[in-house]
Amino acid sequence: MNIKNNFLETIGNTPLIKLNYPSTITGCNIYGKAEFLNPGGSIKDRAAKAIVLDAVKKGLLKKGGTIVEGTAGNTGIGLGLVGNSLGVKTVIVMPETQSQEKKDALNLIGCELKLVPALPYSDPGNYIRQSEIIAKELEFKYQKGVLWANQFDNIANMLGHYKGIGPEIWDQTKGNINGFTCAVGTGGTLAGVSKYLKEKNNEVKIFLSDPYGSALYNYYKHNKLESEGNSITEGIGQGRITENLKNLKVDGAFRIKDEEALNIIFKMLKEEGLFLGGSSGINICGAIEMAKKLGPGNNIVTILCDSGQRYQSKIWNKSFLKSKNLPQPYWMDSKHE
Ligand code: PMP
């Protein structure tokens, strides 16, 4: 392998891993793109790099400048690391409900972290709305340029996936791919990957895998932005059509229960050695549903977004799961708590 010249070059080019249990039970080949192996630990390193490099190219951000963003955590970690590598400061606004592990990581890498109550987008106190307000305030204060990354509506996010992970998946499968599915937070991944794959081969099927509490399943199925229930997964679920989602066309949508997502990530760890977060569970369950729908012999790709380590105090904590009446890993007895 080549020597990388800097931190930015270490983002992307992740392995595509065959998921054996999901493949065996469906008679398909189900593959997971190992995004948890990015240096900041998630798929969002790619979006952070794409947004920052786009801003640098447009002259909106320079060394000594500041990035401000509202994030469930992973984008913040990516922006913090990318920012550090370019001599740029990072201010992160995050809902206080997110995992302690993500808060600790943001503090550790030197981001300025502002926690706000978890409020809907329609409320001006919402973390995304707050990040825009803070970015505007800092613009007056600092001389060297402030970038509001705006991952939800800045299509540099989607285009980063279109130019990066899309071609990687096409090359790794040698074009032998019948379907792609993943969940949506900003929509950058699903919209960017599907744009690339559909351009290469319009026959590739694209499905949304949505958690409960998100409005997108009803939107793509019944043309209504309505949500039901809720989910303990983080970083996914959406209540509006973001700019990144505007041109997305899906062939169908699945809605996945947290119970199913948890059971599959427990199995993936214990039987295949893959330690994953909750959104990866939603994605793998979606890929299994898609395999059942397309029938045996198809090749389906999904995303392994981040590592379980990021959720040790939540979905990988028996007491937390018990308190929510959710399934728990059978091998985790009280001596491990
Ligand atoms: N999984 C996790 C863990 C995430 O943090 C995110 C991003 N918020 C996603 C999935 C969804 O990715 P995207 O924003 O590209 O839709």
Side-chain angles (χ1 to χ4, degrees), residues 60-77:
L60 301 171
L61 187 68
K62 293 188 185 67
K63 195 171 178 156
T66 304
I67 304 166
V68 183
E69 183 60 327
T71 151
N74 280 332
T75 306
I77 295 166

Side-chain angles (χ1 to χ4, degrees), residues 195-262:
K195 178 171 155 61
Y196 187 83
L197 295 178
K198 287 271 189 195
E199 278 176 16
K200 283 304 220 183
N201 175 7
N202 199 33
E203 297 295 305
V204 178
K205 297 280 177 272
I206 304 297
F207 273 67
L208 163 75
S209 297
D210 214 25
Y212 277 80
S214 172
L216 295 181
Y217 171 81
N218 278 329
Y219 179 76
Y220 291 112
K221 278 290 235 206
H222 311 296
N223 210 16
K224 277 189 236 155
L225 263 176
E226 282 173 10
S227 66
E228 287 130 342
N230 52 46
S231 169
I232 54 153
T233 56
E234 295 183 25
I236 55 171
Q238 185 52 258
R240 68 186 176 99
I241 302 303
T242 63
E243 284 300 316
N244 283 292
L245 284 173
K246 280 258 158 82
N247 295 318
L248 171 69
K249 286 194 182 59
V250 299
D251 297 290
F254 302 116
R255 188 158 51 181
I256 311 291
K257 292 192 179 107
D258 280 355
E259 285 83 349
E260 290 168 35
L262 288 169

Side-chain angles (χ1 to χ4, degrees), residues 42-44 72 74-75 102 151 157 161 183-190 234-236 279-280 283 305-306 311:
S42 88
I43 177 97
K44 299 304 294 202
N74 280 332
T75 306
K102 288 194 286 198
Q151 56 169 332
N157 169 5
H161 292 296
V184 160
T186 64
T189 312
L190 187 62
E234 295 183 25
I236 55 171
S279 67
S280 303
N283 287 353
C305 310
D306 65 357
Y311 308 95

